[in-house]
């Protein structure tokens, strides 16, 4: 019986996922959550604004290989559709910041953190210098664990912020369920060699570890008050 690639990938992700989940809970349960949540949105913007350009890079590379690479051919179909689905999500984050009374331009002015550059930059390397299918591991991590539908209500209670400041989380709680199923079907329908499946797994493990580091940087942040554009 052939083992599904998605099952193997999820087993690998599960090795590190508890640590990321613990860090997420540390953020959501922090006594400084009201201060840290805008910082979280800024960090998330620096990562999410790379989503479409990253997929466009992978699509270009996949198209160059598709004529004699069956895995790349499947990837072209998936990315062409998924790029359309991910358009504009970075703007949701800026709208969330504005709803909280913070400057929506702040994420664009800041020097992106090294932790986010590490999270995203490794994907460019694997896309250009190994195979664009490596990006599937990254996507499986970022979209494979949707926020709980109840998270926004709990965060509103803890921070006192309006629901309009949590639209990105609320939308992804619904969207990522569909996207998770789609990425797993794509991986199972792709003729991955042993080496390429290993590379997809490596990409996923790196993304879990780098995402954890990026969240840790948010927890350590002390400059959140500088974000405010209005007096409390």
């Amino acid at each position: 019986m052939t083992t599904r690639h998605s099952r193997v990938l999820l087993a690998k992700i599960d090795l590190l996922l508890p640590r990321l989940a613990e860090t997420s809970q540390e953020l959501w349960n922090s006594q400084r959550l009201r201060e840290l949540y805008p910082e979280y949105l800024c960090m998330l913007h620096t990562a999410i604004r790379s989503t479409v350009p990253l997929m466009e890079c992978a699509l270009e590379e996949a198209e160059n290989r598709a004529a004699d690479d069956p895995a790349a051919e499947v990837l072209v179909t998936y990315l062409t559709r998924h790029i359309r689905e991910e358009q504009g999500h970075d703007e949701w984050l800026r709208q969330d910041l504005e709803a909280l009374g913070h400057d929506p331009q702040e994420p664009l002015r800041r020097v992106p953190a090294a932790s986010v550059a590490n999270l995203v930059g490794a994907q460019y390397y694997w896309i250009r210098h190994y195979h664009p299918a490596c990006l599937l591991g990254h996507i499986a991590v970022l979209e494979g664990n949707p926020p709980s539908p109840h998270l926004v209500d709990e965060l509103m209670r803890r921070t006192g912020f309006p629901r309009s400041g949590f639209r990105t989380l609320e939308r992804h709680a619904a969207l990522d369920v569909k996207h998770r199923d789609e990425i797993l079907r794509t991986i199972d329908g792709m003729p991955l060699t042993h080496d390429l499946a290993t590379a997809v797994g490596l990409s996923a493990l790196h993304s879990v570890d780098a995402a954890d580091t990026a969240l840790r940087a948010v927890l350590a942040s002390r400059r959140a008050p500088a974000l405010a554009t209005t007096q409390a």
Side-chain angles (χ1 to χ4, degrees):
M1 178 177 173
T2 303
T3 302
R4 291 192 302 169
H5 291 300
S6 65
R7 186 172 300 167
V8 174
L9 179 63
L10 291 176
K12 291 179 179 180
I13 292 172
D14 283 347
L15 294 173
L16 295 184
L17 201 57
R19 187 177 70 187
L20 179 58
E22 182 179 334
T23 303
S24 298
Q25 284 304 306
E26 187 175 343
L27 174 63
W28 302 141
N29 293 326
S30 172
Q31 295 298 313
R32 300 172 57 224
L33 180 59
R34 186 178 172 87
E35 173 188 336
L36 292 176
Y37 181 65
E39 279 292 310
Y40 169 77
L41 292 180
C42 281
M43 181 279 291
L44 201 56
H45 183 276
T46 60
I48 285 183
R49 74 184 184 220
S50 73
T51 300
V52 170
L54 194 58
M55 289 193 294
E56 288 173 339
C57 176
L59 177 59
E60 178 186 350
E61 193 69 29
E63 287 174 336
N64 290 338
R65 296 168 179 250
D68 54 7
D69 183 336
E73 186 178 7
V74 173
L75 191 61
V76 167
T77 301
Y78 168 76
L79 289 174
T80 299
R81 179 176 60 252
H82 199 51
I83 286 170
R84 293 194 299 267
E85 295 172 340
E86 293 295 323
Q87 296 281 356
H89 291 201
D90 53 331
E91 288 303 304
W92 296 353
L93 287 157
R94 295 176 66 240
Q95 291 165 9
D96 287 353
L97 277 168
E98 190 169 26
L100 300 181
H102 292 270
D103 185 355
Q105 295 297 109
E106 177 67 18
L108 299 173
R109 283 197 296 265
R110 286 192 183 184
V111 177
S115 56
V116 175
N118 179 38
L119 172 66
V120 175
Q123 298 304 317
Y124 282 108
Y125 181 89
W126 280 315
I127 288 168
R128 290 299 192 193
H129 300 292
Y130 188 67
H131 197 287
C134 291
L135 184 61
L136 296 177
H138 180 73
I139 296 173
V141 169
L142 299 187
E143 298 191 344
N145 300 281
S148 164
H150 308 295
L151 178 62
V152 167
D153 288 336
E154 183 63 19
L155 296 183
M156 288 173 59
R157 183 186 68 78
R158 292 179 183 178
T159 62
F161 288 146
R163 185 173 296 276
S164 56
F166 298 95
R167 283 173 293 192
T168 301
L169 282 176
E170 196 156 45
R171 288 166 176 170
H172 277 275
L175 286 175
D176 284 354
V177 173
K178 172 180 176 288
H179 291 168
R180 176 193 60 198
D181 295 343
E182 185 179 22
I183 186 72
L184 296 179
R185 283 196 304 269
T186 299
I187 290 169
D188 283 336
M190 185 175 286
L192 296 175
T193 64
H194 172 77
D195 285 348
L196 188 50
T198 298
V200 171
L202 177 62
S203 166
L205 291 173
H206 173 82
S207 294
V208 177
D209 183 65
D212 182 71
T213 301
L215 277 184
R216 286 281 170 199
V218 171
L219 282 164
S221 174
R222 290 290 175 182
R223 66 174 178 176
L227 280 168
T229 59
T230 59
Q231 295 294 322

